[in-house]
Amino acid sequence: MKFPLVPDYYFPDVSAIDLSRLRARGVKLLLADLDNTLVPYGVAEPNDQVRAWKAALEGAGITLFILSNSRRPGRAQRFAQALGVPYEGHAGKPKPGGFRRALARMGVTAAEAAIVGDQIFTDTWGGNNAGVLTLLVHPIRFGTIFRFLRFVLETPFRAGARRGETL
């Protein structure tokens, strides 16, 4: 059995994920963390790169779903609506409830889903607890010393992940 804090794969950023390989693994739904995974903290609207990546996901037959722990009122909702994707805000990661609600809402099983995020202690742990494929990305920006220190603490777990190119 896999240790719950070790992601399945580690990528430099979301654009490095081979979507055709992801789809070949049976993934139909990609749950995505918002802050520091898709855009830096505080960026209110999807940028051109995120919009292009969402279009590439659709082309591969994968639905994007924002699964965010953001406590800022309406943050996940506004971002997801601007991108035209479903979302769950205040998801409560790493608890599996937000994952289960997203899967049920989208009509997929855990085996047909993956999570991509920048944090081991929320995205990876929660995804592993929910039984979905876990994809970790390097944070877009650290921003604070606390985020950097968390990143350092996560290093041993990142080291246990397979490199993204092996997906």
Side-chain angles (χ1 to χ4, degrees):
M1 180 167 174
K2 172 172 105 161
F3 188 68
L5 296 176
V6 175
D8 291 307
Y9 294 95
Y10 182 55
F11 299 89
D13 57 55
V14 295
S15 67
I17 300 169
D18 186 324
L19 302 179
S20 62
R21 285 184 174 173
L22 192 61
R23 186 63 184 101
R25 289 183 65 108
V27 172
K28 296 178 182 176
L29 179 68
L30 183 57
L31 307 168
D33 179 50
L34 174 54
D35 291 313
N36 235 9
T37 298
L38 296 181
V39 294
Y41 284 94
V43 173
E45 295 282 325
N47 58 32
D48 290 341
Q49 292 88 357
V50 171
R51 290 181 188 281
W53 186 67
K54 182 234 182 193
L57 280 164
E58 289 175 344
I62 300 170
T63 301
L64 179 61
F65 187 108
I66 304 294
L67 189 67
S68 175
N69 275 358
S70 178
R71 298 211 182 272
R72 290 177 35 209
R75 163 112 173 98
Q77 177 184 6
R78 284 188 300 275
F79 191 93
Q81 287 175 340
L83 194 55
V85 299
Y87 73 95
E88 169 121 7
H90 305 288
K93 298 176 287 182
K95 296 176 191 169
F99 290 87
R100 289 187 185 131
R101 286 188 298 275
L103 298 177
R105 182 172 161 199
M106 301 308 293
V108 300
T109 66
E112 298 171 314
I115 175 81
V116 61
D118 69 302
Q119 294 188 50
I120 296 272
F121 297 111
T122 56
D123 306 312
T124 297
W125 192 5
N128 283 333
N129 285 339
V132 303
L133 186 70
T134 53
L135 313 175
L136 185 71
V137 294
H138 190 83
I140 293 172
R141 182 176 5 175
F142 292 117
T144 68
I145 188 67
F146 299 107
R147 289 186 191 127
F148 176 75
L149 291 174
R150 184 195 68 228
F151 180 79
V152 170
L153 287 172
E154 294 174 344
T155 298
F157 307 114
R158 263 191 319 281
R162 290 170 280 197
R163 295 293 154 234
E165 61 271 7
T166 66
L167 176 64

